[in-house]
Amino acid sequence: MVVSHDLYDSVGQTIFETWRATAINTVFADDIGDWPQRLDQGVLAQYRVSLLLRAIKGTEAGKPMQFDYFNGRPVMEVLRQSLDETIAVLDAKFQTQDMSAWKSAVVYEDFRLANSAATELGLVPNKARVTGNEWWNALMRIDSSRLPIETVIPSGGQSYFINLAGQPTAHLNDQSERHRSFDFKKVAVSRGDIQSLRHTGKTVLSYRP
């Protein structure tokens, strides 16, 4: 992880990240201690909010919780408390109530950790802004419809090969920008979709003995 002197263009990021940690503590600490924070340890961006969102949605959640983590208090009352605590924390941290001064430093993911050769040769960027996107993503619907898989990866995998002459594979860096902007690509999985994508000509592969 690399932290630069660049600042995010909105103070909303600072407020949300601080509120998220505060709200999780307010809602869960008396029942499950620091387990939510421990789950975030070691990740580049602490963006896990699914547990908190389920608690807030209550009976409207996709999988409603069986335990009342709000201890009988109205949800909005608890959330207002967590927001008040968030503002107090940020007032103290930045030593000002001027929210325009609360912008946080941009967090970058260091690509040199994944493949130093590719970055040293200028074949992939040295770093990219952390967006909360996982390193490799695949979204799929598992049923008889066999809809295309949506997938994206920042770079690499089997395409990370660079020969001794410093020549990379053609697809070494063709997904970096797509990964940054959450621009998923489709991968056909049904026989009909695959057949429709077939090339009309022949592709001849030759290998050195």
Side-chain angles (χ1 to χ4, degrees):
M1 179 176 65
V2 175
V3 179
S4 77
H5 296 296
D6 300 332
L7 299 178
Y8 287 108
D9 57 7
S10 172
V11 70
Q13 185 270 347
T14 304
I15 295 174
F16 174 77
E17 284 297 323
T18 307
W19 171 81
R20 183 195 65 85
T22 302
I24 286 176
N25 183 68
T26 300
V27 174
F28 298 114
D30 60 328
D31 298 304
I32 58 177
D34 64 348
W35 271 103
Q37 289 85 352
R38 291 171 66 180
L39 290 174
D40 266 340
Q41 292 175 358
V43 298
L44 292 172
Q46 298 181 356
Y47 52 86
R48 295 185 175 121
V49 294
S50 59
L51 186 66
L52 179 62
L53 184 60
R54 281 180 60 200
I56 292 173
K57 283 189 171 183
T59 58
E60 299 300 317
K63 175 110 174 129
M65 292 181 169
Q66 302 300 308
F67 187 81
D68 178 19
Y69 287 102
F70 292 92
N71 300 320
R73 297 172 61 192
V75 172
M76 291 307 301
E77 177 184 312
V78 176
L79 295 183
R80 281 194 295 268
Q81 174 191 331
S82 66
L83 184 58
D84 288 342
E85 293 173 358
T86 296
I87 300 302
V89 167
L90 293 173
D91 280 345
K93 177 180 179 180
F94 290 95
Q95 296 295 299
T96 177
Q97 293 184 342
D98 179 9
M99 290 188 178
S100 65
W102 290 1
K103 294 179 181 179
S104 299
V106 173
V107 179
Y108 286 92
E109 186 170 8
D110 193 338
F111 279 13
R112 291 171 297 182
L113 302 177
N115 192 305
S116 58
T119 55
E120 291 296 329
L121 292 171
L123 302 174
V124 297
N126 286 335
K127 61 183 182 180
R129 286 191 176 196
V130 170
T131 62
N133 200 354
E134 295 290 349
W135 185 260
W136 177 78
N137 299 269
L139 305 176
M140 62 190 75
R141 179 170 174 172
I142 304 175
D143 61 15
S144 59
S145 65
R146 300 186 67 81
L147 294 174
I149 296 173
E150 301 279 344
T151 181
V152 70
I153 185 172
S155 187
Q158 65 270 34
S159 296
Y160 243 146
F161 180 75
I162 302 171
N163 67 22
L164 295 178
Q167 298 170 328
T169 54
H171 303 291
L172 184 142
N173 192 38
D174 61 0
Q175 292 189 68
S176 296
E177 179 59 26
R178 300 189 73 157
H179 183 270
R180 186 195 66 79
S181 58
F182 295 88
D183 181 18
F184 284 49
K185 66 183 189 299
K186 294 183 183 296
V187 178
V189 293
S190 72
R191 183 176 296 277
D193 288 341
I194 294 172
Q195 291 290 340
S196 67
L197 295 173
R198 293 182 62 186
H199 295 291
T200 55
K202 294 183 179 180
T203 300
V204 178
L205 301 178
S206 61
Y207 298 88
R208 293 181 180 178

